Amino acid sequence: SAVISQKPSRDICQRGTSLTIQCQVDSQVTMMFWYRQQPGQSLTLIATANQGSEATYESGFVIDKFPISRPNLTFSTLTVSNMSPEDSSIYLCSVDTLGRTEAFFGQGTRLTVV
Amino acid sequence: GQSLEQPSEVTAVEGAIVQINCTYQTSGFYGLSWYQQHDGGAPTFLSYNALDGLEETGRFSSFLSRSDSYGYLLLQELQMKDSASYFCAVRARPSGGYQKVTFGIGTKLQVIP
């Protein structure tokens, strides 16, 4: 299994500012994913981050708004830029290892933009 | 693209059995997963089916029919603590992309005494 430390766990931010969310894994993993989840809703994949290459973004998400870093095999960051109230959501990082069928999740970052 | 369908809500009595169905459409299919999420918590893995048939893990079982693009999660001997949201999720590699997991809308299960 993989243990994921995600921080901050929650934050309240002013509109127009940016927040960087960190995701630290206790073992080396190939693929890291960033999801967004509105309360009571499903998880929507924002992007896939592989070490050594640029993140791959899903339809509706762009790098300027959600820049991602993946400097090594145990760490990634997601920045929510120029925030608006519509960005209020729970952001989750997830890790995956080739050959495994289970995805592991961090505890999430509950973001409120005011 | 990819799509999944599952019921939004299910209510069942403690001690009973409940089945949550999931149908999907995708290319590059690898398998179907199920995740449980309690309010305020992170999703946790329950099961994974890559081949047709039934997989049993304690009180939970999961079934897959690849030809029908259909699966279900079966929960037996329901307990109050089983009240949570249950997500089916497709693991797939759409052409030209990375392998990724796409989630359904989630089924909110309420277990009542």
Side-chain angles (χ1 to χ4, degrees), chain B residues 49-98:
Chain B
N49 295 69
L51 303 176
D52 288 355
L54 190 69
E55 296 278 345
E56 298 182 60
T57 308
R59 295 188 297 115
F60 294 0
S61 302
S62 58
F63 172 83
L64 175 66
S65 168
R66 294 176 67 116
S67 60
D68 295 324
S69 298
Y70 163 76
Y72 65 72
L73 179 69
L74 191 73
L75 295 83
Q76 303 182 73
E77 301 173 16
L78 281 172
Q79 303 175 7
M80 298 300 291
K81 68 178 182 179
D82 296 330
S83 293
S85 291
Y86 293 84
F87 294 89
C88 62
V90 163
R91 177 176 290 272
R93 184 176 180 181
S95 56
Y98 290 110

Side-chain angles (χ1 to χ4, degrees), chain A residues 55-103:
Chain A
T56 302
Y57 290 82
E58 297 298 306
S59 176
F61 298 96
V62 295
I63 187 171
D64 289 346
K65 177 66 175 178
F66 297 101
I68 288 171
S69 76
R70 181 82 201 273
N72 56 52
L73 291 174
T74 64
F75 187 78
S76 178
T77 67
L78 169 76
T79 298
V80 186
S81 302
N82 188 25
M83 289 183 284
S84 67
E86 291 70 35
D87 296 319
S88 297
S89 190
I90 299 168
Y91 292 84
L92 294 143
C93 73
S94 173
V95 303
D96 205 0
T97 303
L98 288 177
R100 296 290 301 272
T101 59
E102 177 177 356

